[in-house]
Amino acid sequence: MSTRVLVTGGAGFIGSHLVKRLVSMGADVYVVDNLWRGSLDNLAGENGEPVLDLKDKFNRIDLCDRHQCVEHIRNFDMVFHLADIVAGVDYVFSNELMIFQNNIAINTNTLAACIANKIPKYIYVGTACSYPKHLQMHDSVTTLTEDQTYPAYPESAYGWSKLMGEYEAELAMKEKLLEVAMLRFHNVYGPNASYEKKRSQVIPSLIKKAIDYPSEPFIVYGNGKQYRDFVYVDDVIDALLLASEKGGNRGVIQIGSEVPTSIKCLAETVANISGKNIRIQFDESKPTGDIGRISNCERARQILGWQAKTALEEGVRRTYDWIRTDLARKYGASSQSLPAV
């Protein structure tokens, strides 16, 4: 694979996994990332060395800056656009204006640079948070298809910003300015996910709490009845690569496990994996977010030949082991005596 590829947000959670897979396939891979949430540590291979030449193939730039985008997003065969501002539910609802404005700028500038510099392929990553609020507020399990985003009414500014990114990419596709593949992810988890308190999402957050227990209580936001569609990062990378080959100009394709998992069930799974006798506490004063959403991945099967393979317990176990190892690496301590992050 001699393709010259750019990954925006390539030092982040999903982006770093994609970069490693592309490098292993022989692609000529470049990364742009402002390291707001990503880390160069994520780009290290099994030997601890970076999987690409950071001096020549990594650029720390702000995609909110149109000039920098046009300057650095050029001479590529394809661009995987994964960069955005996102974090856990508490952070998202506390910083809505900033998240919306930054993501709109990031998406618009990246796409504009791809068009201006005649990039042939653009792979855009959206989110299930873009579905209308009323479709995600039912106590019973609600399965969603790609055509249910309009009339639009996402619950969060994050969901709105990512939906506008889809819409803008679709406009460029309709005008035949470049080939566009669009994936809509449900809740992705796995190694390299941020477990920092202020920015972590639910699975790494619960794993970090389990590692810290009993020095810190194991508190779950909400009543635990809310459910999500959790999909493991390796399966997501498979989908991204297939989308770059088969998903061009085929519209939005959602990616998920199609399995509803309540946060209560997830917390119990994490507690069991920890091997500790953890007392789970639910804090209903904290934001719960949407009650639930589940993917229907028929389009992914038909167009990409893709479906999720990794069972939740196996994926959570891998993620738990990675977070525990990463904490010990950073702090040189056993998993029972690590500082809060």
Side-chain angles (χ1 to χ4, degrees):
M1 183 180 186
S2 59
T3 309
R4 185 177 166 93
V5 182
L6 176 69
V7 180
T8 72
F13 162 40
I14 300 173
S16 60
H17 284 274
L18 177 60
V19 167
K20 291 175 184 178
R21 185 81 69 85
L22 287 165
V23 169
S24 73
M25 295 168 61
D28 188 15
V29 185
Y30 292 74
V31 170
V32 295
D33 199 304
N34 68 354
L35 301 182
W36 177 79
R37 200 158 177 246
S39 168
L40 294 181
D41 289 343
N42 291 340
L43 294 173
E46 292 182 2
N47 62 359
E49 295 296 318
V51 297
L52 47 75
D53 185 340
L54 296 178
K55 182 178 180 181
D56 293 334
K57 296 190 174 184
F58 174 83
N59 282 297
R60 184 173 183 175
I61 68 169
D62 183 358
L63 295 175
C64 290
D65 185 319
R66 176 72 68 99
H67 175 75
Q68 289 190 59
C69 286
V70 173
E71 180 179 349
H72 291 282
I73 303 177
R74 61 171 68 242
N75 300 322
F76 294 106
D77 298 303
M78 67 178 70
V79 170
F80 288 90
H81 180 39
L82 279 72
D84 65 8
I85 303 295
V86 67
V89 62
D90 201 12
Y91 186 92
V92 164
F93 285 102
S94 299
N95 297 276
E96 292 205 84
L97 180 60
M98 181 276 288
I99 288 171
F100 182 82
Q101 291 178 328
N102 278 273
N103 282 340
I104 292 294
I106 287 167
N107 293 335
T108 295
N109 292 344
T110 300
L111 180 59
C114 288
I115 293 169
N117 293 323
K118 297 182 172 25
I119 307 294
K121 289 186 177 183
Y122 177 69
I123 298 92
Y124 176 81
V125 172
T127 174
C129 296
S130 293
Y131 281 106
K133 178 180 179 179
H134 72 274
L135 295 180
Q136 304 182 63
M137 301 305 289
H138 299 290
D139 290 331
S140 58
V141 173
T142 302
T143 302
L144 301 171
T145 55
E146 287 84 353
D147 61 357
Q148 291 179 281
T149 43
Y150 295 97
Y153 188 45
E155 182 183 20
S156 67
Y158 173 70
W160 275 107
S161 70
K162 298 298 287 184
L163 182 60
M164 293 301 95
E166 279 185 9
Y167 178 67
E168 190 172 23
E170 188 173 13
L171 292 176
M173 178 183 70
K174 287 179 178 179
E175 294 186 16
K176 299 180 179 180
L177 298 173
L178 73 176
E179 181 180 301
V180 176
M182 292 181 285
L183 297 184
R184 186 181 293 155
F185 290 167
H186 283 255
N187 293 63
V188 186
Y189 71 99
N192 290 2
S194 173
Y195 50 81
E196 179 187 354
K197 278 186 177 180
K198 292 183 178 180
R199 296 179 182 176
S200 63
Q201 291 166 297
V202 62
I203 288 183
S205 175
L206 290 178
I207 289 173
K208 179 61 168 56
K209 290 176 181 179
I211 291 171
D212 290 341
Y213 191 86
S215 61
E216 291 193 15
F218 191 90
I219 297 175
V220 179
Y221 284 8
N223 59 20
K225 295 179 181 179
Q226 69 271 37
Y227 61 90
R228 295 292 183 269
D229 183 332
F230 295 105
V231 58
Y232 189 64
V233 67
D234 286 356
D235 296 336
V236 165
I237 301 308
D238 290 341
L240 282 163
L241 295 172
L242 287 166
S244 71
E245 298 173 7
K246 303 178 182 180
N249 299 342
R250 299 297 300 272
V252 176
I253 301 170
Q254 65 176 332
I255 300 298
S257 68
E258 300 181 297
V259 177
T261 301
S262 72
I263 303 305
K264 179 178 182 291
C265 177
L266 173 64
E268 290 169 349
T269 299
V270 171
N272 288 337
I273 288 171
S274 76
K276 300 178 181 180
N277 185 20
I278 291 178
R279 176 174 174 260
I280 302 172
Q281 302 176 56
F282 297 94
D283 184 351
E284 297 189 40
S285 71
K286 296 291 187 181
T288 296
D290 304 319
I291 291 176
R293 53 177 179 264
I294 300 298
S295 62
N296 176 330
C297 293
E298 188 57 33
R299 279 178 56 79
R301 281 188 286 273
Q302 291 182 354
I303 296 171
L304 306 180
W306 178 92
Q307 67 180 41
K309 301 174 183 176
T310 308
L312 180 73
E313 184 171 357
E314 175 59 27
V316 172
R317 187 179 301 278
R318 294 179 196 172
T319 309
Y320 190 101
D321 289 344
W322 176 81
I323 292 176
R324 183 170 53 186
T325 300
D326 194 59
L327 282 166
R329 176 185 64 83
K330 287 180 177 177
Y331 299 104
S334 73
S335 61
Q336 303 298 322
S337 59
L338 294 163
V341 175

